[in-house]
Amino acid sequence: VAGIGRISTLTEEEMLKRYHTTHDDENIDEELTLALCRYIIQSSYGDGAILIFFPGWLEISEFSMLLESSAPFNNTSKFWILPLHSGIASQDQR
């Protein structure tokens, strides 16, 4: 972290403390998560998968709907969006 005319080094604890004062861990930033997914596919080579963990079914289903309506993830011939949760029967998760 650079200040005006000086350079200081933050410890991991200080960085974590700053993060917690500026971010609410109870709220998921869906736009940031979507931007990260786009970055991952743009900077990756070849096929792969992105696994995202959310705290509950509501967050999983909301983000799934966001992906399904957002380019390039709405291209069903290229992307599979598979919402998985322990509360859903295994046969319904395929």
Side-chain angles (χ1 to χ4, degrees):
V1 178
I4 299 174
R6 64 182 176 84
I7 296 176
S8 64
T9 303
L10 296 175
T11 66
E12 287 181 17
E13 185 175 325
E14 290 168 329
M15 286 188 284
L16 185 58
K17 203 177 285 187
R18 283 188 182 188
Y19 170 82
H20 284 296
T21 60
T22 59
H23 294 85
D24 181 2
D25 290 341
E26 296 298 318
N27 293 321
I28 296 170
D29 189 338
E30 291 182 346
E31 291 301 319
L32 176 60
T33 308
L34 180 61
L36 287 169
C37 290
R38 285 185 176 130
Y39 174 79
I40 290 168
I41 63 163
Q42 290 171 356
S43 60
S44 298
Y45 299 100
D47 294 337
I50 300 171
L51 181 60
I52 303 170
F53 291 91
F54 288 111
W57 177 246
L58 177 64
E59 294 86 358
I60 293 168
S61 60
E62 286 177 350
F63 193 71
S64 295
M65 289 188 296
L66 177 62
L67 281 175
E68 290 169 350
S69 64
S70 302
F73 305 104
N74 57 355
N75 180 349
T76 57
S77 66
K78 189 171 181 182
F79 295 98
W80 286 359
I81 299 168
L82 304 171
L84 306 175
H85 188 274
S86 63
I88 302 173
S90 296
Q91 65 194 27
D92 294 334
Q93 296 189 51
R94 297 182 183 167

